[in-house]
Amino acid sequence: MEEYLALFPYTSAAARYVEASTRTFESFLTVGEFSKLILNRSVERVTRAISGDTPASLIERDDYEVEIFSYVMARALVSCINETLLIQRYANAEAQDAFDNLRHADEPSRDEYIMSLLEDFRMPVSVENDAFRLHFTDFVKYTGRLRGPQWRLVNLLNRGSVTLAKGEIIQILAEAVRLKVLSGLPLKLSGKMCEELSPYTSPLKEAFSQVSSHLVDSGPVVLEACPPCIKALLSQVKAGRNLSHPARFALTSFLANVGMKADEIVRIYETSPDFDYDLTRYQVEHIRGASGKDYIAPGCSTMETYGNCVESDGLCKRVIHPLSYYRVRNKRHEGVQRNPREGPV
Amino acid sequence: MNAKTKAFLESKFKEYYHNPVIGLPPRFRKREWAFVLFDSAYPRLVMRRHKAFSSQKDLQAYLGAVAPAHVYYSTAYYAYPSATRMQDKKWEGADIIFDLDADKLLTDSAPSYALMLQAVKNETDKLLDFLVNDFGFDYADFSIVFSGGRGYHVHLREKRLVTLGSHERREVVNYLTGTGLEPEYLLRRTNIIPVPGDNSCWEIRIRTWIDKYFKRLRELDAEMAITELAAVKAIGKRRAKEIVDVMSQDTTIQPLLQSRLMPLTAWKSLIREAISQIKVRIDVPVTADTKRLIRLPTSLHGGSGFRVTPLTFDEFRSFKPLHDAVVFADRSVSVKILKPAIAEIKGETIKVHQGTTELPEHTAVYLMARGLAEYESRRLKSDQK
Ligand code: SF4
């Protein structure tokens, strides 16, 4: 149970735990070992949403109370920063974690988690041979962002319900998590409270404005304009090599940011030996989001940390972000491409 | 529409609203109300919006006093229904409405009003079957309403439905209109057999349609069956003949499936045909909208004078709109006809031509409301302008 609360701190079960606890929000702002842990972990939660590239598995989850309360605190942090895009990315990050946690859990606990989450989100199901029957109203609530015929009611409805496999239920739960996290955000907090949190929110704000300044307007994707790191990742995938999690994130988010459609991105991964259509689809869609900008590709320093900055060239010396590289190259590229005979004659 | 006609219609509507005949929707206090009056702008519609009523008596009194031409309420429930800005109303949920309208059904031919209403009624029947069979609703869950104009409204207020957003309602719409059904996808799911399986109610519907299609062909004489089959995409005359031979061996389509005589393209085109015949033609934006205004059942439709009639399923079955939705009397009224027209009310077909004539009140009201006639006070017959 405690592990469940720590893994899924946005559930009503976790909310009840927080309510029943003697720990108060204010107490986390006073000095002390426990409040330090909480604050650090909550900053980590938001940082992960900003950069999006810290794999969930790297995070220690041994202290369940830290998990639960740092979630509460992270909500306060993003509320004080109060940027719509960040709030959305924060919800995405929690949903991605939920998805990973469910996929990585061993079979018995996974089943237990799934049933608890379904109950927590008030989605009554009947289960038979790992097939879940869900009322259609719940189904349409959580599939709006999912693409593909397998998610359309018109292909599934059977006497008021739809039947889903376990993997699909996990995807639906991840979406339910995203909406649950999103609901109520930004919290209405007093100016005084945000003031007290400002030592933590200021650096986060800074980091966020850095990544968002790298946003590029979408247009046709020009592969030649991609920086060497991205080109290298592309050729690795083409050669049938598996990418590490951070590399995969870097490539997907970069392509999404420059305006590539989810379908096209999924197709790029099709040649990977561990290609799992549903998983890839899910990851790509969530990284991409509705706008293609829900997550921002990692910057050069992060790329370097994970050993993904390779074959950097002359232009690389003048940029700190692969997207800037692309923007510069793309402009130049456009200049060369423009057909002089296309103008008025 | 001249002032005399407006005054006459208003007085007739007042008579109607004078008696306590009004039925209210559930949660009426949380709904926004809107009215169109027989004012100087009428028949141009000037909507008086953002009204709210806290009791049936208040609404009744209002209707009795102003006798509106059209009465609407919001499908949505709001915390503050009378707030004038939408964002201040605080949406709490909304009924889901299906609007079946003749305009959406009949494209080319313009048959009589009566036939048109019959076509819309059949379509409404199809919708109800979908709602009960595929969506699992009970007949008691929805209310069926004759709109008083060119069709029917179906209101659903099931509690799991009312909080759905517009996007989610669109999935329901897409289901009913078969949008997103791809023969390729359906066939891929069934593996070998070239007809859809039974994963979803749509698949079962298509499957049933195909069975019926071949049953009908079997009952035709061979020559006609061949001609009809040969018209299907990718089936030539010779292939059609072979198919008819195999098809008549059995009362099911099994031998035909095993024979693999029908090319995949032909199956696909049959499936497409099935979809286009099975789907329900509803007015899409109405159902997807979470903040629509809808006509009040039991009110009068200002464009016809008919009663917006709420119906139970059994009543719907036997409902004859041009009889049962008529509220005005038979006593005669003098009118000036502006355009030749036909009215089929209470089983009587009346053809009118330009000029002054006497008509039963209900037909007179209908023609005036439609802008086809003006009121003629008998005493003033001589000073016509
Ligand atoms: S310097 Fe930046 S843009 Fe260049 S290869 Fe390295 S990560 Fe990519």
Side-chain angles (χ1 to χ4, degrees):
Chain A
M1 183 61 186
E2 282 155 359
E3 195 187 33
Y4 170 76
L5 299 181
L7 285 172
F8 310 105
Y10 24 74
T11 50
S12 13
R16 281 195 297 275
Y17 180 92
V18 170
E19 219 157 279
S21 161
T22 51
R23 299 185 189 281
T24 65
F25 199 81
E26 285 72 26
S27 73
F28 301 135
L29 295 171
T30 58
V31 248
E33 201 49 40
F34 188 71
S35 34
K36 210 167 109 197
L37 282 173
I38 300 279
L39 281 160
N40 286 345
R41 176 71 182 111
S42 60
V43 167
E44 204 172 65
R45 288 189 113 102
V46 182
T47 308
R48 168 165 152 62
I50 292 173
S51 55
D53 54 3
T54 313
S57 50
L58 292 186
I59 293 160
E60 291 286 327
R61 296 200 177 275
D62 45 3
D63 189 339
Y64 68 89
E65 275 211 304
V66 172
E67 285 305 311
I68 297 170
F69 287 104
S70 67
Y71 167 72
V72 179
M73 191 53 89
R75 284 174 75 83
L77 294 178
V78 296
S79 298
C80 287
I81 298 171
N82 199 7
E83 291 272 359
T84 313
L85 193 57
L86 176 63
I87 288 171
Q88 269 163 12
R89 284 165 70 185
Y90 175 64
N92 288 348
E94 293 288 355
Q96 180 67 52
D97 278 358
F99 183 77
D100 290 342
N101 288 335
L102 287 171
R103 281 190 60 111
H104 295 146
D106 55 73
E107 197 74 29
S109 6
R110 179 192 312 172
D111 290 352
E112 204 188 298
Y113 294 157
I114 290 176
M115 292 317 289
S116 307
L117 285 170
L118 286 169
E119 204 189 305
D120 204 285
F121 294 138
R122 294 175 200 283
M123 291 154 73
V125 289
S126 59
V127 192
E128 209 177 305
N129 302 328
D130 274 355
F132 295 72
R133 269 185 83 70
L134 185 66
H135 193 256
F136 82 91
T137 46
D138 290 323
F139 176 78
V140 296
K141 256 183 226 164
Y142 301 119
T143 47
R145 281 160 61 104
L146 298 170
R147 295 282 153 265
Q150 74 274 30
W151 295 110
R152 298 283 74 84
L153 190 61
V154 80
N155 286 318
L156 296 175
L157 183 65
N158 201 332
R159 303 205 168 260
S161 314
V162 299
T163 302
L164 301 167
K166 203 186 282 181
E168 294 169 322
I169 272 289
I170 292 178
Q171 295 199 45
I172 288 196
L173 282 173
E175 178 64 5
V177 166
R178 192 182 69 83
L179 294 175
K180 185 71 190 272
V181 172
L182 217 45
S183 75
L185 285 181
L187 308 165
K188 289 189 184 70
L189 298 176
S190 69
K192 184 172 159 280
M193 183 166 285
C194 287
E195 183 92 345
E196 285 184 65
L197 285 174
S198 68
Y200 305 94
T201 50
S202 301
L204 289 170
K205 228 184 217 165
E206 178 69 13
F208 179 67
S209 72
Q210 281 228 335
V211 287
S212 31
S213 71
H214 292 297
L215 285 173
V216 205
D217 285 335
S218 53
V221 181
V222 183
L223 286 177
E224 301 87 274
C226 289
C229 49
I230 298 297
K231 280 187 182 152
L233 292 178
L234 278 170
S235 60
Q236 279 185 47
V237 175
K238 273 209 194 97
R241 241 168 289 152
N242 275 331
L243 295 187
S244 67
H245 186 104
R248 196 180 266 253
F249 175 82
L251 182 58
T252 306
S253 54
F254 179 90
L255 294 174
N257 292 164
V258 299
M260 195 179 258
K261 301 252 162 21
D263 286 331
E264 298 172 87
I265 303 176
V266 172
R267 234 171 286 136
I268 288 176
Y269 288 109
E270 259 166 8
T271 45
S272 303
D274 65 347
F275 179 72
D276 170 343
Y277 182 83
D278 286 338
L279 176 60
T280 310
R281 183 92 220 178
Y282 177 81
Q283 286 176 337
V284 166
E285 250 150 27
H286 275 254
I287 290 172
R288 203 181 163 278
S291 62
K293 293 168 186 173
D294 280 16
Y295 288 100
I296 306 303
C300 295
S301 61
T302 311
M303 292 292 279
E304 234 171 308
T305 313
Y306 288 101
N308 290 324
C309 167
V310 289
E311 302 163 33
S312 60
D313 61 14
L315 180 53
C316 283
K317 293 201 190 80
R318 295 195 282 124
V319 301
I320 56 158
H321 203 288
L323 287 169
S324 320
Y325 184 108
Y326 179 84
R327 206 166 19 189
V328 174
R329 254 301 138 76
N330 196 16
K331 273 211 191 91
R332 229 183 270 168
H333 188 85
E334 266 171 23
V336 177
Q337 283 262 300
R338 198 164 290 138
N339 188 338
R341 284 190 299 169
E342 261 178 19
V345 283
Chain B
M1 190 179 287
N2 65 30
K4 265 192 295 173
T5 306
K6 273 183 219 176
F8 176 76
L9 287 178
E10 192 178 341
S11 74
K12 285 284 119 190
F13 276 41
K14 224 169 229 168
E15 260 172 42
Y16 173 80
Y17 285 119
H18 201 70
N19 304 315
V21 285
I22 297 306
L24 286 184
R27 314 195 210 192
F28 72 92
R29 287 181 191 84
K30 294 205 161 246
R31 300 184 193 255
E32 175 195 347
W33 293 77
F35 306 91
V36 172
L37 309 185
F38 287 111
D39 55 14
S40 56
Y42 197 82
R44 202 160 53 76
L45 302 186
V46 177
M47 190 88 84
R48 283 146 217 260
R49 294 194 53 179
H50 311 302
K51 306 234 186 268
F53 293 92
S54 55
S55 76
Q56 167 139 18
K57 231 174 90 215
D58 288 355
L59 176 69
Q60 201 98 44
Y62 181 85
L63 293 178
V66 303
H70 303 279
V71 183
Y72 307 95
Y73 64 78
S74 63
T75 59
Y77 334 125
Y78 302 107
Y80 310 102
S82 56
T84 46
R85 295 191 319 170
M86 283 322 262
Q87 65 266 40
D88 295 339
K89 288 186 193 282
K90 296 262 181 311
W91 189 88
E92 292 179 345
D95 305 341
I96 187 163
I97 304 286
F98 303 95
D99 178 22
L100 296 109
D101 192 286
D103 298 336
K104 298 285 170 303
L105 274 183
L106 309 157
T107 42
D108 27 61
S109 61
S112 75
Y113 185 43
L115 287 173
M116 189 180 81
L117 284 176
Q118 186 53 48
V120 188
K121 195 174 176 213
N122 296 344
E123 205 67 16
T124 308
D125 235 342
K126 272 165 70 179
L127 168 73
L128 298 179
D129 184 55
F130 265 93
L131 293 178
V132 171
N133 182 72
D134 300 26
F135 285 89
F137 291 114
D138 200 82
Y139 282 107
D141 288 335
F142 43 75
S143 47
I144 311 163
V145 179
F146 169 59
S147 75
R150 301 161 63 81
Y152 291 84
H153 300 155
V154 175
H155 303 230
L156 260 171
R157 307 188 177 101
E158 212 259 359
K159 69 177 196 309
R160 283 176 291 192
L161 274 177
V162 298
T163 53
L164 293 184
S166 178
H167 186 99
E168 291 124 33
R169 288 169 197 237
R170 198 160 270 274
E171 278 288 293
V172 173
V173 171
N174 288 346
Y175 187 91
L176 295 167
T177 54
T179 308
L181 274 178
E182 292 296 336
E184 289 74 14
Y185 179 74
L186 298 178
L187 295 183
R188 199 165 0 121
R189 277 210 296 209
T190 60
N191 302 322
I192 347 150
I193 323 165
V195 289
D198 54 5
N199 296 298
S200 67
C201 286
W202 253 110
E203 288 192 343
I204 297 166
R205 284 179 183 276
I206 295 170
R207 194 55 202 259
T208 312
W209 187 93
I210 289 175
D211 285 339
K212 277 207 192 118
Y213 174 84
F214 283 105
K215 181 163 180 281
R216 193 176 54 80
L217 285 188
R218 242 176 261 124
E219 284 160 3
L220 292 178
D221 71 55
E223 241 359 89
M224 280 174 72
I226 291 168
T227 318
E228 198 167 310
L229 264 175
V232 177
K233 205 167 161 192
I235 304 182
K237 193 103 193 182
R238 211 175 42 165
R239 186 57 73 91
K241 205 165 170 311
E242 291 170 346
I243 293 172
V244 169
D245 283 345
V246 174
M247 187 183 82
S248 38
Q249 288 166 11
D250 196 70
T251 55
T252 73
I253 60 168
Q254 280 314 315
L256 180 60
L257 292 176
Q258 275 145 24
S259 73
R260 300 184 167 262
L261 272 170
M262 287 258 293
L264 204 56
T265 322
W267 283 115
K268 283 184 192 163
S269 114
L270 271 190
I271 292 172
R272 277 202 194 90
E273 180 60 25
I275 294 169
S276 89
Q277 291 197 15
I278 297 168
K279 71 176 181 188
V280 192
R281 289 163 180 81
I282 51 169
D283 188 349
V284 170
V286 174
T287 302
D289 198 339
T290 57
K291 292 174 183 151
R292 260 291 148 153
L293 291 171
I294 187 92
R295 222 173 254 292
L296 171 68
T298 68
S299 67
L300 292 183
H301 189 304
S304 68
F306 295 141
R307 182 167 179 259
V308 182
T309 317
L311 303 161
T312 64
F313 183 66
D314 284 334
E315 288 166 344
F316 170 73
R317 278 276 139 104
S318 57
F319 182 66
K320 294 196 288 296
L322 298 183
H323 196 279
D324 303 340
V326 177
V327 294
F328 294 112
D330 299 336
R331 94 175 81 95
S332 82
V333 172
S334 182
V335 291
K336 186 172 124 200
I337 306 295
L338 305 174
K339 267 189 224 156
I342 302 175
E344 305 157 87
I345 293 175
K346 288 213 159 166
E348 238 188 292
T349 307
I350 301 180
K351 268 193 196 165
V352 292
H353 303 283
Q354 264 124 318
T356 303
T357 181
E358 302 265 316
L359 290 173
E361 189 176 83
H362 49 67
T363 306
V365 168
Y366 170 72
L367 292 174
M368 283 186 258
R370 298 215 35 207
L372 299 171
E374 296 282 16
Y375 182 64
E376 277 278 304
S377 151
R378 265 166 256 200
R379 265 181 295 131
L380 299 175
K381 218 181 240 177
S382 50
D383 61 30
Q384 269 176 37
K385 298 240 161 84

